[in-house]
Amino acid sequence: PIVLAVVTHSNFMQEGEVGDKCNRHYPARTKKPRNNQVVMLKYKLEGKKLVLTGEDCMPVIDGTNMYDAGDELVGLCRKDIGENCIASMSEVTMPMTLKKMK
């Protein structure tokens, strides 16, 4: 078997085969994949084409939950965003407060 990891944006995970097969694993509140959510689809190679095996989409990692138990947005930590993105964001957004965590 060949293991192939594909990284994409949540918007693309809502469309096509991934959206059709995996949308039941997305949060009911938003109906879209969470940041850093990971799902697994199995394909087989037939000639020069990848074809779904027919197995169910499997959840691998739930991703970052953006809402607390009271359905309120939670603040993000710097580690959730990353220092490179923080630097880019600070150039185009108003000042913000992020929790510093190790």
Side-chain angles (χ1 to χ4, degrees):
I2 298 172
V3 176
L4 177 66
V6 178
V7 179
T8 188
H9 193 279
S10 62
N11 290 341
F12 300 117
M13 289 179 67
Q14 288 179 263
E15 301 173 359
E17 290 177 336
V18 178
D20 293 343
K21 301 285 185 183
C22 301
N23 62 13
R24 72 179 182 281
H25 299 298
Y26 305 157
R29 182 188 191 288
T30 60
K31 296 184 174 44
K32 69 174 276 201
R34 291 179 173 155
N35 291 343
N36 304 321
Q37 185 168 0
V38 178
V39 294
M40 178 175 63
L41 286 170
K42 292 187 178 183
Y43 291 81
K44 61 183 174 182
L45 186 61
E46 290 184 356
K48 295 182 179 182
K49 188 174 182 180
L50 288 174
V51 179
L52 280 168
T53 63
E55 294 181 45
D56 285 342
C57 175
M58 301 294 297
V60 178
I61 296 174
D62 288 336
T64 304
N65 189 0
M66 303 292 288
Y67 299 90
D68 63 17
D71 211 26
E72 297 291 324
L73 281 171
V74 296
L76 294 173
C77 298
R78 292 183 85 89
K79 69 178 182 63
D80 296 325
I81 298 171
E83 294 302 324
N84 289 340
C85 289
I86 295 288
S88 296
M89 289 167 57
S90 65
E91 294 173 8
V92 295
T93 62
M94 294 173 30
M96 55 190 203
T97 303
L98 295 171
K99 298 175 192 172
K100 183 86 172 181
M101 298 189 73
K102 293 183 179 187

